[in-house]
Amino acid sequence: MNKAQLKKLEADLWSAANNLRANSDLKSSEYATPVLGLIFLKFADNNYRRFEAEIVAEYQKLQGTRREKKISDIAIEKCGFYLPDHARYAHLLNLPEEKNIAKALKEAMKAIEEYKPELEGVLPKDEYAALTRTDKTLPNQLLKTFADIPADATGDLFGQIYEYFLSEFARSEGQKGGEFFTPRSVVRLMVEIIEPHGGKVFDPACGSGGMFVQSAQFIGEHRKELQGATSDVYVCGQEKTRDTVNLAKMNLAVNGLRGEIKQANTYYEDPHNSFGAFDYVLANPPFNVDDVSLSSVEKDKRFNTYGIPRNKSKAKKADEGKETVPNGNYLWISLFATSLKPQGRAALVMANSASDARHSEADIRKMLIEQNLIYGMLTLPSNMFYTVTLPATLWFFDKAKTDDKILFIDARNIFNQIDRAHREFSEEHIQNIAIISKLHKGQREQFVQLIDRYFSAGMERLVENKTKVEPVSAQLLEVLEDAAGKQAVGELVKQWAALNKLQTRYDQYRDKYPLAPDTGEGAGVRGQDANKAVELKNKAQQQLREAFAPFFAALHEGLKHLDKIVRHREKQQAEQAQAEGKRAATDRKTKALKTALEELHQEVKSAELYYQHIHWLQERFPKAEYEDVTGLCKLASPAEVKEQDYSLNPGRYVGVVIEEDGKTEEEFIAELLAMNDELAHLNETARVLDKIIGNNIRQIAGDV
């Protein structure tokens, strides 16, 4: 299943489930648990199905022997679950309508918990009866909805669907729903920079457990790089809300993760004995909490090792013992630092204000800096979270730092706008930002490997798109009767033909710098001086990218010419309609022409995107090594940080640069024309309203 198919499946499932919600009396926060429970049930059934033949075969083989085992024991060994017949998805889906489906679902969930003790009391049960208060068929309708998830879907796919639903519940519920969800792309970036490679991972504000899932996926993707080192991950989380703890436990089970999630108020409870206990800490804690009891935390070494945030003025005698911490942000920051082992690393989301906080918080920050715990700071774009509109900052700790500098990254101008109020990082954005940290660590070969992946993906997209050019061009020729139009289409086809030479050049590059199977490492790097090999490859990559630039420039010029021809055609039609006293309207052929042309624009844009990422990286890091880039990144010395009063705000260090909007000329013109059309429509509407108002006033005045 490719990315587009997955997005369509997610959207279809959400639409179906959300439509059903309209027929219940539940809020999104209440509806989330039974829906996510059914996604979990479908995953468990899919997983069981893959191992079923093997389970049955072993059961039959051992039956009647001294090694005989219960089928449930064999199933748990093989796939982690045992599902009796009444807990199978197909059984529940095919129950007759007159049966009590809500009760059957409750019994199925109880059966799963019976054979998987770590889920005891976690899965939704009575919630399905609540769904039937307004419509008894809702549980069955939901079962049918999630039956559309492919039977061969893997745990990773289920994890993505699960996270998608969490994000949609967060979006629809606003502030309340967002408490348990950190956007996937933000977590991905945190994990790519912290680079967990096995061990114990801690999240003391774990929400739905997304940090753990992304850590495990990173480890899985990079397993070959570990070269025999342990790659198992054991996760420890805590969350104060029982419902959210249950979501996290289901998320861990969906993704096959080992670990413990406990219900606890992190300010006052420490169920995992966290002090110095973890290899990695990842978290998105609540911001700006101001009601934490000072007396409860001031003697706790988790919080007081670097100092406790205190009010500026001393408490009155009457208030002694009742004081609260003025702001809990630095309690969390201290907790993350103290939870790490001597070689540990941490990544956390924090309110922007914490980077420059004054008074007692500034003293804590100064101590963290002077003890060289802070590896880097990264400012996020605004509107990345469902609960926070202003930009947040990512803090990175590394107890095994090899220098005393701090890496500052300002990523406020890097994002995709997903709707009016929300933004996200694309996968390429994540990799482009993370490579800054890797270059800082001297991992230059990863830079050229990333560019290799972009070349490969871009070339694949171009070859795929070329096959679509001919039929679209034929469609254009059917509509454009004039010689100029036909010539423009012919020129465009000719421009696409230039791809053959570029493909040959790319093949020659690959022959000289092949990718080693699976690892993504350049085979040419082995047995040579690594830096010299990177420099040679980097130069070859720059030359290759430069060879593609005229190709895309010619395509854009050709498409721009066709855009002008289409606009001229529309203008002629409008003038002709006006001359005939008719209403101006675009005919069917011209509409089809515009649609076909838009398809070509999209094909070019989708392929060129990878080459734009290559250009973005090569322009900023031309030597394939770290360097300060104005407006993006700065490696600051202790003296520079001291000069800034120990501020950790990246904006103070990286400087400012005006970013281009990324629009092509034709996109800018199209937007401008669309706004002009809208203005003309509004002006026409205003004139009509002006006449109506004038007539009404004259009628009231008796002038008509």
Side-chain angles (χ1 to χ4, degrees), residues 418-430:
I418 53 177
D419 59 38
R420 188 183 60 82
H422 298 103
R423 296 165 171 175
E424 69 177 3
F425 292 127
S426 69
E427 179 59 28
E428 291 74 31
H429 289 148
I430 293 166

Side-chain angles (χ1 to χ4, degrees), residues 466-640:
K466 189 184 175 187
T467 62
K468 300 174 184 177
V469 171
E470 199 168 313
V472 174
S473 299
Q475 189 178 354
L476 288 167
L477 287 170
E478 284 178 17
V479 181
L480 294 171
E481 299 97 348
D482 61 302
K486 292 183 183 297
Q487 184 182 353
V489 175
E491 286 295 322
L492 189 66
V493 172
K494 186 178 176 182
Q495 285 150 7
W496 270 100
L499 181 61
N500 294 333
K501 287 184 180 178
L502 289 173
Q503 190 166 7
T504 300
R505 180 155 182 175
Y506 175 68
D507 291 341
Q508 290 171 346
Y509 164 79
R510 286 294 300 272
D511 289 342
K512 189 170 183 179
Y513 300 100
L515 293 179
D518 299 323
T519 65
E521 272 188 51
V525 172
R526 295 172 189 167
Q528 303 179 34
D529 174 76
N531 280 326
K532 184 66 176 173
V534 166
E535 287 161 12
L536 289 171
K537 189 169 188 177
N538 179 50
K539 187 175 180 181
Q541 288 176 335
Q542 290 176 348
Q543 291 170 345
L544 184 60
R545 199 256 317 154
E546 287 167 3
F548 276 86
F551 170 72
F552 284 112
L555 284 182
H556 286 304
E557 194 60 37
L559 288 168
K560 186 167 71 173
H561 187 39
L562 278 170
D563 284 333
K564 288 179 180 177
I565 289 171
V566 172
R567 287 198 296 272
H568 181 66
R569 179 188 173 90
E570 277 192 297
K571 186 180 177 183
Q572 284 182 320
Q573 288 178 337
E575 289 172 350
Q576 185 178 344
Q578 189 176 9
E580 296 172 357
K582 297 178 182 177
R583 184 184 171 189
T586 305
D587 65 18
R588 187 177 297 175
K589 279 189 173 183
T590 305
K591 282 182 180 177
L593 175 64
K594 291 178 76 173
T595 301
L597 193 53
E598 180 58 32
E599 283 181 25
L600 280 179
H601 275 297
Q602 290 304 318
E603 300 293 357
V604 173
K605 190 176 180 181
S606 67
E608 189 182 17
L609 187 61
Y610 291 103
Y611 298 89
Q612 289 171 340
H613 285 302
I614 293 170
H615 183 255
W616 190 91
L617 288 167
Q618 290 179 340
E619 184 178 47
R620 285 155 180 78
F621 307 103
K623 297 178 182 177
E625 63 185 15
Y626 177 82
E627 58 185 84
D628 293 340
V629 179
T630 302
L632 178 64
C633 59
K634 164 75 176 177
L635 197 58
S637 68
E640 289 172 305

Side-chain angles (χ1 to χ4, degrees), residues 5 192 197 227 230 233 247 284 369 371 461 540 635:
Q5 290 169 326
E192 283 291 332
H197 285 300
Q227 300 177 342
T230 178
V233 60
L247 287 178
N284 175 18
I369 292 167
Q371 294 200 14
R461 187 67 59 86
L635 197 58

